[in-house]
Amino acid sequence: MSPLPPTHVRLAIIGGGPAGLMAAETARAAGIEVDVFEAKGSVGRKFLIAGKGGMNLTHGEPKREFVQRYGARAREVGAWLDAFDADDLREWARGLGVETFVGTSGRVFPSDLKAAPLLRGWVHRLRESGVRFHVHHRWLGWHADGSLRMATPEGERAIRADAVVLALGGGSWPQLGSDGAWQPWLADRGVTVTPLVPSNCGFDIGWTDHLASRFGGAPLKPVVIHLRDAQGREHSRQGECVITATGIEGSLIYAFSGLLRDAIAAHGPTTITLDLAPDRTLDRLRADLSRPRGSRSMSEHLRRQSGLARVKAALLHEVLDRDQFHDAETLARTIKRLPLTLKQARPIEEAISSGGGVRLEGMDEHLMLNALPGVFCAGEMLDWEAPTGGYLLTACFASGRLAGLGATRWIHRSVENRTT
């Protein structure tokens, strides 16, 4: 059980994810007394789960391309990264005794691929530096006098702070603490909050029972996605995705999830196309599939002449009737441009991350809320989003550092004002 926090603290950091912990480290390094409040029984739970299959810490691509991954928020997030970028994050990990490497995809991983050793070392270093942790302490908003309402194992307490950093996460994976409960509390205090929406999420298509039962969980690789955005611009990218019981998900879909989600919200079901055979031209497919098949079934002929995996053949059956499937020209064209209509995004609770949140326009350059002087926000609760690949974590770290610096600056100025 956590020791009871004092009723007055210098800097209260609410949320023990990467953004909150980085804010704590930054402020403590500047001599500020820091108390971290975490609703769960330990800090960094989402960080640990995200690293289960290999901790993707950041990405090794050039800075210019890296920043563009943040889409509409590239300018704002780029400013955070000017002070703490992917190289800085790797150097920071090295300071904890964790070496990193760049994988074949450009993603950066700890040498042992694990998140737990990095988190353990980080929390130990924070404790040694004097950061105080209070777990099972859930923030409930503010009292009328401006003090923080905090639910603790001993009951609700009121805590005053010279400055506050909110690092509460978005709305994905609520079982790990990011439940978005903070939205109305900030809105009631004049903070502009865009509703949270799923990001890096899957989409429902509505397969036949045959495909859903036999191929749910099957990977699609390699494929090329083609889609058009609201401005009429064509987008395409090669990668991998996964068939689910209800539709499709995976890194290739996540790369465009914000665009697809917004298109569905604005116009209803949205169609993408997949090239199931990116290594073969339409002319080659047309010629190969036109060869005599003799006594072989059409499915066997397709397998031999196109090399398509069974799951890809099953997708063709989802969109073609029998006559179309037996027509070489139609079949070849569909292999190169398989249409799939996405009906809706999967629920935010299933998403890897979320979009929406505290509008950056309502904050200063140090991530302090204009409506609530002395209150800073960091991490996924801010209104930005990025694809998977290390971009999410990098921006969370960078925003946490910026908020920690801002809170430090605010506290120092408050002390100066009191002494003059």
mmCIF file of all heavy atoms in Angstrom, residues 73 169-171 182-183 192-199 261-262 348 353-360 379-386:
data_model
loop_
_atom_site.group_PDB
_atom_site.id
_atom_site.type_symbol
_atom_site.label_atom_id
_atom_site.label_comp_id
_atom_site.label_asym_id
_atom_site.label_seq_id
_atom_site.Cartn_x
_atom_site.Cartn_y
_atom_site.Cartn_z
ATOM 1 N N ARG A 73 -0.892 17.045 -37.180
ATOM 2 C CA ARG A 73 -0.189 17.619 -36.032
ATOM 3 C C ARG A 73 1.328 17.554 -36.204
ATOM 4 O O ARG A 73 2.069 17.675 -35.223
ATOM 5 C CB ARG A 73 -0.583 16.887 -34.758
ATOM 6 C CG ARG A 73 -2.017 17.132 -34.302
ATOM 7 C CD ARG A 73 -2.256 18.610 -34.037
ATOM 8 N NE ARG A 73 -3.526 18.852 -33.345
ATOM 9 C CZ ARG A 73 -4.014 20.042 -33.088
ATOM 10 N NH1 ARG A 73 -3.354 21.125 -33.500
ATOM 11 N NH2 ARG A 73 -5.158 20.175 -32.454
ATOM 12 N N GLY A 169 -3.564 9.418 -20.409
ATOM 13 C CA GLY A 169 -3.819 8.514 -21.521
ATOM 14 C C GLY A 169 -5.086 8.876 -22.265
ATOM 15 O O GLY A 169 -5.798 9.826 -21.912
ATOM 16 N N GLY A 170 -5.355 8.131 -23.309
ATOM 17 C CA GLY A 170 -6.554 8.360 -24.112
ATOM 18 C C GLY A 170 -7.698 7.466 -23.676
ATOM 19 O O GLY A 170 -8.001 7.374 -22.485
ATOM 20 N N GLY A 171 -8.299 6.769 -24.639
ATOM 21 C CA GLY A 171 -9.443 5.936 -24.314
ATOM 22 C C GLY A 171 -9.270 4.479 -24.686
ATOM 23 O O GLY A 171 -10.196 3.685 -24.530
ATOM 24 N N TRP A 182 -11.511 11.525 -17.657
ATOM 25 C CA TRP A 182 -11.132 12.915 -17.386
ATOM 26 C C TRP A 182 -11.807 13.926 -18.308
ATOM 27 O O TRP A 182 -11.797 15.127 -18.021
ATOM 28 C CB TRP A 182 -9.614 13.060 -17.529
ATOM 29 C CG TRP A 182 -9.079 12.467 -18.804
ATOM 30 C CD1 TRP A 182 -8.592 11.208 -18.981
ATOM 31 C CD2 TRP A 182 -9.016 13.110 -20.088
ATOM 32 N NE1 TRP A 182 -8.204 11.019 -20.292
ATOM 33 C CE2 TRP A 182 -8.457 12.168 -20.994
ATOM 34 C CE3 TRP A 182 -9.354 14.372 -20.559
ATOM 35 C CZ2 TRP A 182 -8.236 12.453 -22.338
ATOM 36 C CZ3 TRP A 182 -9.151 14.662 -21.906
ATOM 37 C CH2 TRP A 182 -8.597 13.716 -22.782
ATOM 38 N N GLN A 183 -12.384 13.498 -19.401
ATOM 39 C CA GLN A 183 -12.896 14.435 -20.402
ATOM 40 C C GLN A 183 -13.905 15.453 -19.843
ATOM 41 O O GLN A 183 -13.733 16.668 -20.043
ATOM 42 C CB GLN A 183 -13.515 13.664 -21.574
ATOM 43 C CG GLN A 183 -12.517 12.825 -22.350
ATOM 44 C CD GLN A 183 -13.203 11.991 -23.412
ATOM 45 O OE1 GLN A 183 -13.474 12.433 -24.532
ATOM 46 N NE2 GLN A 183 -13.489 10.743 -23.059
ATOM 47 N N THR A 192 -11.031 22.911 -23.986
ATOM 48 C CA THR A 192 -11.621 22.347 -25.209
ATOM 49 C C THR A 192 -11.085 20.944 -25.429
ATOM 50 O O THR A 192 -9.864 20.746 -25.557
ATOM 51 C CB THR A 192 -11.293 23.226 -26.433
ATOM 52 O OG1 THR A 192 -11.766 24.547 -26.202
ATOM 53 C CG2 THR A 192 -11.954 22.660 -27.682
ATOM 54 N N VAL A 193 -11.998 19.983 -25.459
ATOM 55 C CA VAL A 193 -11.635 18.576 -25.621
ATOM 56 C C VAL A 193 -12.382 18.006 -26.823
ATOM 57 O O VAL A 193 -13.617 18.047 -26.877
ATOM 58 C CB VAL A 193 -11.980 17.756 -24.357
ATOM 59 C CG1 VAL A 193 -11.633 16.288 -24.562
ATOM 60 C CG2 VAL A 193 -11.251 18.316 -23.136
ATOM 61 N N THR A 194 -11.646 17.492 -27.780
ATOM 62 C CA THR A 194 -12.244 16.785 -28.908
ATOM 63 C C THR A 194 -12.569 15.362 -28.473
ATOM 64 O O THR A 194 -11.721 14.695 -27.857
ATOM 65 C CB THR A 194 -11.272 16.748 -30.100
ATOM 66 O OG1 THR A 194 -10.952 18.089 -30.488
ATOM 67 C CG2 THR A 194 -11.889 16.011 -31.280
ATOM 68 N N PRO A 195 -13.776 14.857 -28.741
ATOM 69 C CA PRO A 195 -14.124 13.499 -28.302
ATOM 70 C C PRO A 195 -13.100 12.459 -28.746
ATOM 71 O O PRO A 195 -12.569 12.521 -29.862
ATOM 72 C CB PRO A 195 -15.483 13.256 -28.977
ATOM 73 C CG PRO A 195 -16.059 14.630 -29.149
ATOM 74 C CD PRO A 195 -14.889 15.518 -29.438
ATOM 75 N N LEU A 196 -12.806 11.522 -27.868
ATOM 76 C CA LEU A 196 -11.847 10.470 -28.172
ATOM 77 C C LEU A 196 -12.434 9.487 -29.175
ATOM 78 O O LEU A 196 -13.609 9.121 -29.096
ATOM 79 C CB LEU A 196 -11.455 9.729 -26.894
ATOM 80 C CG LEU A 196 -10.737 10.557 -25.826
ATOM 81 C CD1 LEU A 196 -10.511 9.710 -24.573
ATOM 82 C CD2 LEU A 196 -9.420 11.090 -26.352
ATOM 83 N N VAL A 197 -11.609 9.047 -30.115
ATOM 84 C CA VAL A 197 -12.023 8.101 -31.152
ATOM 85 C C VAL A 197 -10.931 7.046 -31.310
ATOM 86 O O VAL A 197 -9.772 7.282 -30.977
ATOM 87 C CB VAL A 197 -12.257 8.822 -32.497
ATOM 88 C CG1 VAL A 197 -13.493 9.697 -32.445
ATOM 89 C CG2 VAL A 197 -11.036 9.644 -32.909
ATOM 90 N N PRO A 198 -11.283 5.860 -31.829
ATOM 91 C CA PRO A 198 -10.269 4.814 -32.000
ATOM 92 C C PRO A 198 -9.236 5.190 -33.048
ATOM 93 O O PRO A 198 -9.549 5.806 -34.063
ATOM 94 C CB PRO A 198 -11.085 3.594 -32.427
ATOM 95 C CG PRO A 198 -12.350 4.145 -32.991
ATOM 96 C CD PRO A 198 -12.625 5.401 -32.217
ATOM 97 N N SER A 199 -7.990 4.828 -32.794
ATOM 98 C CA SER A 199 -6.896 5.021 -33.737
ATOM 99 C C SER A 199 -6.035 3.760 -33.717
ATOM 100 O O SER A 199 -6.011 3.041 -32.722
ATOM 101 C CB SER A 199 -6.070 6.245 -33.341
ATOM 102 O OG SER A 199 -5.028 6.504 -34.261
ATOM 103 N N ARG A 261 -11.235 6.088 -40.658
ATOM 104 C CA ARG A 261 -12.229 6.369 -39.614
ATOM 105 C C ARG A 261 -12.970 7.664 -39.904
ATOM 106 O O ARG A 261 -14.212 7.719 -39.818
ATOM 107 C CB ARG A 261 -11.499 6.473 -38.276
ATOM 108 C CG ARG A 261 -12.344 6.853 -37.080
ATOM 109 C CD ARG A 261 -11.463 7.405 -35.977
ATOM 110 N NE ARG A 261 -10.839 8.665 -36.337
ATOM 111 C CZ ARG A 261 -9.569 8.982 -36.047
ATOM 112 N NH1 ARG A 261 -8.784 8.151 -35.394
ATOM 113 N NH2 ARG A 261 -9.097 10.171 -36.419
ATOM 114 N N ASP A 262 -12.247 8.704 -40.267
ATOM 115 C CA ASP A 262 -12.876 9.991 -40.547
ATOM 116 C C ASP A 262 -13.731 9.938 -41.804
ATOM 117 O O ASP A 262 -14.789 10.578 -41.875
ATOM 118 C CB ASP A 262 -11.806 11.081 -40.681
ATOM 119 C CG ASP A 262 -11.081 11.349 -39.367
ATOM 120 O OD1 ASP A 262 -11.572 10.894 -38.310
ATOM 121 O OD2 ASP A 262 -10.019 12.011 -39.407
ATOM 122 N N ILE A 348 -13.315 1.734 -29.499
ATOM 123 C CA ILE A 348 -12.095 2.345 -28.976
ATOM 124 C C ILE A 348 -11.436 1.457 -27.928
ATOM 125 O O ILE A 348 -10.207 1.469 -27.775
ATOM 126 C CB ILE A 348 -12.409 3.749 -28.408
ATOM 127 C CG1 ILE A 348 -11.115 4.524 -28.145
ATOM 128 C CG2 ILE A 348 -13.272 3.655 -27.152
ATOM 129 C CD1 ILE A 348 -11.357 5.981 -27.799
ATOM 130 N N SER A 353 -4.511 2.713 -29.856
ATOM 131 C CA SER A 353 -4.415 4.073 -29.329
ATOM 132 C C SER A 353 -5.691 4.817 -29.667
ATOM 133 O O SER A 353 -6.629 4.243 -30.220
ATOM 134 C CB SER A 353 -3.193 4.800 -29.917
ATOM 135 O OG SER A 353 -3.285 4.877 -31.328
ATOM 136 N N SER A 354 -5.733 6.101 -29.333
ATOM 137 C CA SER A 354 -6.929 6.888 -29.633
ATOM 138 C C SER A 354 -6.543 8.240 -30.203
ATOM 139 O O SER A 354 -5.441 8.743 -29.991
ATOM 140 C CB SER A 354 -7.783 7.072 -28.367
ATOM 141 O OG SER A 354 -7.046 7.697 -27.337
ATOM 142 N N GLY A 355 -7.462 8.799 -30.967
ATOM 143 C CA GLY A 355 -7.322 10.157 -31.449
ATOM 144 C C GLY A 355 -8.242 11.061 -30.649
ATOM 145 O O GLY A 355 -9.039 10.600 -29.829
ATOM 146 N N GLY A 356 -8.167 12.361 -30.915
ATOM 147 C CA GLY A 356 -8.947 13.295 -30.130
ATOM 148 C C GLY A 356 -8.261 13.590 -28.807
ATOM 149 O O GLY A 356 -7.144 13.142 -28.547
ATOM 150 N N GLY A 357 -8.923 14.374 -27.968
ATOM 151 C CA GLY A 357 -8.356 14.726 -26.678
ATOM 152 C C GLY A 357 -8.235 16.227 -26.498
ATOM 153 O O GLY A 357 -8.935 17.011 -27.157
ATOM 154 N N VAL A 358 -7.350 16.640 -25.613
ATOM 155 C CA VAL A 358 -7.177 18.059 -25.289
ATOM 156 C C VAL A 358 -6.599 18.791 -26.493
ATOM 157 O O VAL A 358 -5.534 18.427 -27.003
ATOM 158 C CB VAL A 358 -6.250 18.233 -24.073
ATOM 159 C CG1 VAL A 358 -6.010 19.714 -23.791
ATOM 160 C CG2 VAL A 358 -6.842 17.550 -22.849
ATOM 161 N N ARG A 359 -7.307 19.805 -26.950
ATOM 162 C CA ARG A 359 -6.878 20.547 -28.134
ATOM 163 C C ARG A 359 -5.599 21.325 -27.852
ATOM 164 O O ARG A 359 -5.493 22.047 -26.850
ATOM 165 C CB ARG A 359 -7.963 21.519 -28.581
ATOM 166 C CG ARG A 359 -9.232 20.854 -29.067
ATOM 167 C CD ARG A 359 -9.051 20.245 -30.440
ATOM 168 N NE ARG A 359 -8.862 21.272 -31.471
ATOM 169 C CZ ARG A 359 -8.556 20.987 -32.735
ATOM 170 N NH1 ARG A 359 -8.395 19.729 -33.124
ATOM 171 N NH2 ARG A 359 -8.426 21.963 -33.617
ATOM 172 N N LEU A 360 -4.624 21.190 -28.737
ATOM 173 C CA LEU A 360 -3.353 21.880 -28.559
ATOM 174 C C LEU A 360 -3.510 23.387 -28.687
ATOM 175 O O LEU A 360 -2.705 24.149 -28.137
ATOM 176 C CB LEU A 360 -2.338 21.367 -29.577
ATOM 177 C CG LEU A 360 -2.028 19.863 -29.520
ATOM 178 C CD1 LEU A 360 -0.967 19.498 -30.551
ATOM 179 C CD2 LEU A 360 -1.576 19.457 -28.126
ATOM 180 N N GLY A 379 1.178 13.384 -23.322
ATOM 181 C CA GLY A 379 0.902 12.028 -23.759
ATOM 182 C C GLY A 379 -0.319 11.897 -24.637
ATOM 183 O O GLY A 379 -0.724 12.821 -25.344
ATOM 184 N N GLU A 380 -0.931 10.733 -24.566
ATOM 185 C CA GLU A 380 -2.000 10.381 -25.492
ATOM 186 C C GLU A 380 -3.300 11.127 -25.225
ATOM 187 O O GLU A 380 -4.209 11.099 -26.053
ATOM 188 C CB GLU A 380 -2.238 8.863 -25.433
ATOM 189 C CG GLU A 380 -2.946 8.314 -26.654
ATOM 190 C CD GLU A 380 -3.154 6.814 -26.589
ATOM 191 O OE1 GLU A 380 -2.270 6.114 -26.054
ATOM 192 O OE2 GLU A 380 -4.195 6.341 -27.073
ATOM 193 N N MET A 381 -3.420 11.795 -24.088
ATOM 194 C CA MET A 381 -4.645 12.547 -23.829
ATOM 195 C C MET A 381 -4.694 13.831 -24.652
ATOM 196 O O MET A 381 -5.736 14.492 -24.704
ATOM 197 C CB MET A 381 -4.789 12.865 -22.342
ATOM 198 C CG MET A 381 -3.790 13.857 -21.799
ATOM 199 S SD MET A 381 -3.983 14.131 -20.003
ATOM 200 C CE MET A 381 -5.599 14.913 -19.914
ATOM 201 N N LEU A 382 -3.593 14.196 -25.300
ATOM 202 C CA LEU A 382 -3.571 15.347 -26.185
ATOM 203 C C LEU A 382 -4.126 14.974 -27.554
ATOM 204 O O LEU A 382 -4.111 13.808 -27.959
ATOM 205 C CB LEU A 382 -2.139 15.879 -26.324
ATOM 206 C CG LEU A 382 -1.467 16.349 -25.031
ATOM 207 C CD1 LEU A 382 -0.024 16.735 -25.297
ATOM 208 C CD2 LEU A 382 -2.236 17.510 -24.416
ATOM 209 N N ASP A 383 -4.563 15.983 -28.295
ATOM 210 C CA ASP A 383 -5.226 15.758 -29.586
ATOM 211 C C ASP A 383 -4.200 15.611 -30.708
ATOM 212 O O ASP A 383 -3.938 16.538 -31.474
ATOM 213 C CB ASP A 383 -6.177 16.924 -29.872
ATOM 214 C CG ASP A 383 -6.966 16.723 -31.158
ATOM 215 O OD1 ASP A 383 -7.069 15.564 -31.613
ATOM 216 O OD2 ASP A 383 -7.463 17.714 -31.716
ATOM 217 N N TRP A 384 -3.606 14.426 -30.781
ATOM 218 C CA TRP A 384 -2.713 14.066 -31.875
ATOM 219 C C TRP A 384 -2.801 12.555 -32.030
ATOM 220 O O TRP A 384 -3.286 11.854 -31.149
ATOM 221 C CB TRP A 384 -1.256 14.472 -31.576
ATOM 222 C CG TRP A 384 -0.692 13.789 -30.355
ATOM 223 C CD1 TRP A 384 -0.861 14.175 -29.053
ATOM 224 C CD2 TRP A 384 0.070 12.574 -30.303
ATOM 225 N NE1 TRP A 384 -0.232 13.296 -28.201
ATOM 226 C CE2 TRP A 384 0.351 12.307 -28.935
ATOM 227 C CE3 TRP A 384 0.568 11.702 -31.263
ATOM 228 C CZ2 TRP A 384 1.091 11.198 -28.524
ATOM 229 C CZ3 TRP A 384 1.303 10.596 -30.852
ATOM 230 C CH2 TRP A 384 1.555 10.358 -29.495
ATOM 231 N N GLU A 385 -2.347 12.040 -33.130
ATOM 232 C CA GLU A 385 -2.286 10.602 -33.295
ATOM 233 C C GLU A 385 -1.185 10.253 -34.284
ATOM 234 O O GLU A 385 -0.713 11.111 -35.035
ATOM 235 C CB GLU A 385 -3.631 10.010 -33.735
ATOM 236 C CG GLU A 385 -4.205 10.581 -35.011
ATOM 237 C CD GLU A 385 -5.606 10.027 -35.283
ATOM 238 O OE1 GLU A 385 -5.774 8.792 -35.270
ATOM 239 O OE2 GLU A 385 -6.516 10.833 -35.523
ATOM 240 N N ALA A 386 -0.773 8.998 -34.272
ATOM 241 C CA ALA A 386 0.305 8.532 -35.137
ATOM 242 C C ALA A 386 0.145 7.039 -35.342
ATOM 243 O O ALA A 386 -0.494 6.358 -34.536
ATOM 244 C CB ALA A 386 1.667 8.835 -34.508
#
